[in-house]
Amino acid sequence: QVQLVESGGGLVQAGGSLRLSCAASGRTFSTYDMAWFRQAPGPEREFVAGISMSGGGTRYTDSVKGRFMISRDNAKNTVFLQMNSLKPEDTAVYYCARINYASGALLSSWGQGTQVTVSS
């Protein structure tokens, strides 16, 4: 079971930027499709962005297209989420997870997440 540790969250003004990181344990990170999710106050966790194991495939939820970019460094077992032009509605706890890129199925447990707060 892969262990995931998110970092990089914080408080930023609307229009600002943050870069989130997710460090994964294990020697087979390069075989994992990965994704970022977020959860605002409430029960539902929302898919934000996904990336295939090679990094050649990416997908985004409509609300972040053109503003967020997911990337990965397989040599460092890390996946990133660059968030630009942040909006107050991006405020949430952000989580990374292993997924199946084709189906979107969740394949790992959740880390502790990292809080992103965007002030207006």
Side-chain angles (χ1 to χ4, degrees), residues 3 8 10 12 15 19 22 29 35 50 62 72-73 77 84 90 94-95 100 105 112 116:
Q3 303 297 315
V12 63
R19 189 193 196 203
C22 170
F29 177 76
D62 285 347
R72 66 190 297 158
D73 184 339
N77 281 20
N84 300 323
D90 295 317
Y94 284 71
Y95 301 86
N100 179 292
Q112 86 287 350
V116 172

Side-chain angles (χ1 to χ4, degrees), residues 13-14 21 25 28 34 43 47 52 56 61 66-67 69 74 76-77 86-87 89 91 93 95 103 110 116 119:
Q13 289 188 330
S21 299
S25 64
T28 56
M34 298 293 295
F47 170 84
S52 63
T61 192
R67 300 189 298 122
M69 185 175 73
N74 285 343
K76 296 182 178 180
N77 281 20
L86 282 160
K87 303 176 180 180
E89 51 263 44
T91 295
V93 179
Y95 301 86
S103 67
W110 301 105
V116 172
S119 63

